[in-house]
Amino acid sequence: MGGVGVSLMLTGRKRGAAERHGINTMRIAPYLFTLPFVISFCLFFAYPLGYMVMMSLENIEGISSVTFVGMKNYVRLFGDARVMNAVRNSVMFTAGILVLNVVLALLLAVVLNNRQTPLRNMFRSALYLPALTSIIVAGIYFRLFFGSGDRTPLNSVMSFLGFGPKAWLFDTVYTGVFALVITSTWRWLGTNLIYFLCGLQSIPQELYEAAEIDGAGPLQRLIYVTIPGLRPMIVFVVTVLTYGGLRMFGESYVLWTNGNTPNNIGITIVLYIYKTAFARYQTGYAAAMSTLLFVVLFFINLLYIRFLKIGKEG
Amino acid sequence: MKRQKRSYRIFIIVLLAVFALMALMPFVYLVVASLVEDMSQVFKNGLALDITPDMLGTGNYRMLVTEQHGVFFRWFWNSVVVTAMFTVLSLATSSMVGYAVSVYRFRGRKIYIIMIMSTMMIPVEILMLPLYREMLSFRLLNTYLGVVLPFADSSFAIYFFMQYAASLPRELVDAARVDGCGEFAIFLKIMGPLMIPAFGSMGILQAMTAWNDFLWPLIVMSTNENFTLTVGLQTYLSPYGNNYNMLFAGAVISVIPLMILFLCNQNAFISGIMAGSVKG
């Protein structure tokens, strides 16, 4: 804290300047700088959050008819088979993208980080390009990719392997989730790959050299040097994917036109909330679901901050 | 040993080529399909790949201009405006907040940090219902501001600027004060310019987010001529038959701006993505 004396001296010397600038002083300026955040925090976070919790305790029909119903919406939620469906689909989807994205992105990053790999930059760019598209663009392609026709590439492969063609989007809950996982992974893999590349570059080269001198083979170097060195980045990627998975909406909305998912196939938590609120106008019930989802995500957020110790002084 | 190295290289190239092919195939397919004028030829119950050169033409793109008075380009323009507004607003406010929290030691600073952290990754989707009501009462539904305002000041961006500002030499601030520089002038003239790389990285990230955003514009915008590209395009996927002619052509055009931005400055893009991650 050697700076204290200096800054005290400076504030002493600054008196004249302070008077000249009015509000433009060291004491007041930080509050003005942060004012936009405070306003936006109150208007677009704290207030809506409180409002949402309140809505979740009400039965709201249309805009005007509101009655207080206490915990009824929450009770109803746990007996609602469609909610359970949506939760199951979202959880399966999250598990799917976690496995695919972490494993594949890590593998590709290790390969692309190796100096002996040819055309590294070209491959990196090619693998990243899908991340530039919106879910609509990806959805247009993948709803055709998973189409039921027997001449689609996927069904051709299926026939070649001796299975019949499938209507992937309408067959079972599992093929539905599979289609969602592939669609998302196509868009997200590139970003996660870059995250891991970034993490790999922060591992000191000397560690690898030391491991090699100790006689560690490529696999041992991966397990004892690379993966521990990537730990913070793995935690980051897992957290981002968990959020992305539990909040997923667009993929379902586009793969099944306007989110009209058949029976229990393809419906996700956020899509169900959206439909409950904006198609069935049961705003109170939808608010109860959102509140619960908020609690879950907030908890994950806390765990994450704890885990990485971000935000600590330093 | 040498042979082992060579077979490793071949294995790696095949592996990467397979993944690159999977990543790029949808682009190739969308571009080719957008040039096919008779869509019944392209797919029956899913996509087919038997497209021959004599089926190709630019009719679908011309259709985008003529159909519904070229509303597609209206959507394109809306996306441009929303992206620009969102990016500028987000950079301006987030950089100020991040800078202040990292450079000043003021009462309540800890609380600010807790506030920023606790909202860091709370997604849009959670608050869509109350925010929709709020926009309704502010009369901001179906406006650009309604799309842009609620999420412009993101904790994620603030945290990024906090980290960046913390890495700048603080002596500069003290020196400027001695010279009688006001606090805002210090930010605008001295520290702000030093943060230009951060503005670049974050700008790209935020512009990408805004350009590809779907759910919130879908909720806020309610009339056809106010839709953004993502919201507009999906209206072609109607339950009453899909308008694939315009869908393919429109999808291709919607990707072009980010694609150009990416191909022109890949390094800025990549460092932007990296900057978005948390350095452990």
Side-chain angles (χ1 to χ4, degrees), chain A residues 55-60 67-73:
Chain A
M55 277 160 73
S56 76
L57 302 173
E58 293 167 342
N59 186 22
I60 304 168
T67 43
F68 184 82
V69 294
M71 298 300 285
K72 244 184 183 162
N73 285 326

Side-chain angles (χ1 to χ4, degrees), chain B residues 30-254:
Chain B
L30 282 180
V31 171
V32 173
S34 74
L35 294 168
V36 174
E37 291 176 351
D38 181 4
M39 280 294 152
S40 64
Q41 299 295 313
V42 179
F43 49 84
K44 286 164 183 139
N45 300 318
L47 62 90
L49 294 172
D50 37 0
I51 294 170
T52 50
D54 58 298
M55 292 156 72
L56 305 181
T58 54
N60 297 331
Y61 290 92
R62 270 179 278 136
M63 216 166 159
L64 280 182
V65 182
T66 53
E67 287 283 301
Q68 297 169 277
H69 312 287
V71 74
F72 175 81
F73 291 95
R74 181 72 216 199
W75 299 338
F76 192 95
W77 173 245
N78 291 336
S79 276
V80 170
V81 175
V82 164
T83 302
M85 279 170 74
F86 182 83
T87 309
V88 170
L89 199 65
S90 170
L91 289 184
T93 56
S94 313
S95 64
M96 266 161 56
V97 180
Y99 166 81
V101 171
S102 117
V103 167
Y104 295 97
R105 295 286 173 271
F106 55 102
R107 194 185 283 264
R109 180 172 170 270
K110 275 254 156 65
I111 297 169
Y112 279 102
I113 294 181
I114 292 172
M115 273 157 65
I116 292 165
M117 289 298 141
S118 63
T119 58
M120 184 135 110
M121 291 205 185
I122 300 305
V124 180
E125 288 80 358
I126 301 294
L127 293 172
M128 64 183 172
L129 303 176
L131 280 175
Y132 175 80
R133 292 293 178 99
E134 212 176 327
M135 292 297 122
L136 182 74
S137 53
F138 288 170
R139 296 176 189 280
L140 285 178
L141 282 184
N142 210 14
T143 65
Y144 292 139
L145 267 184
V147 175
V148 169
L149 269 186
F151 307 107
D153 203 10
S154 82
S155 291
F156 177 64
I158 294 173
Y159 182 70
F160 171 68
F161 280 108
M162 246 169 83
Q163 298 239 301
Y164 198 88
S167 71
L168 298 176
R170 202 159 314 157
E171 298 80 47
L172 284 176
V173 179
D174 297 332
R177 280 194 194 118
V178 175
D179 291 343
C181 208
E183 300 299 317
F184 286 91
I186 294 175
F187 176 67
L188 287 178
K189 290 189 187 140
I190 298 167
M191 298 303 264
L194 287 177
M195 286 159 72
I196 282 176
F199 280 103
S201 304
M202 223 347 118
I204 285 175
L205 271 190
Q206 298 294 66
M208 241 168 90
T209 309
W211 185 264
N212 285 335
D213 196 13
F214 175 56
L215 177 56
W216 185 242
L218 175 74
I219 291 173
V220 172
M221 294 307 200
S222 51
T223 52
N224 199 25
E225 75 273 11
N226 279 352
F227 287 162
T228 59
L229 267 179
T230 50
V231 180
L233 273 178
Q234 62 83 34
T235 61
Y236 288 152
L237 284 169
S238 78
Y240 318 103
N242 301 311
N243 200 335
Y244 278 108
N245 292 74
M246 307 228 269
L247 205 48
F248 284 138
V252 170
I253 293 182
S254 80

Side-chain angles (χ1 to χ4, degrees), chain A residues 175-197:
Chain A
T175 57
V177 170
F178 176 73
L180 289 170
V181 168
I182 298 297
T183 308
S184 306
T185 303
W186 181 71
R187 278 178 72 226
W188 294 355
L189 192 65
T191 311
N192 294 319
L193 167 70
I194 304 253
Y195 286 150
F196 282 133
L197 270 178

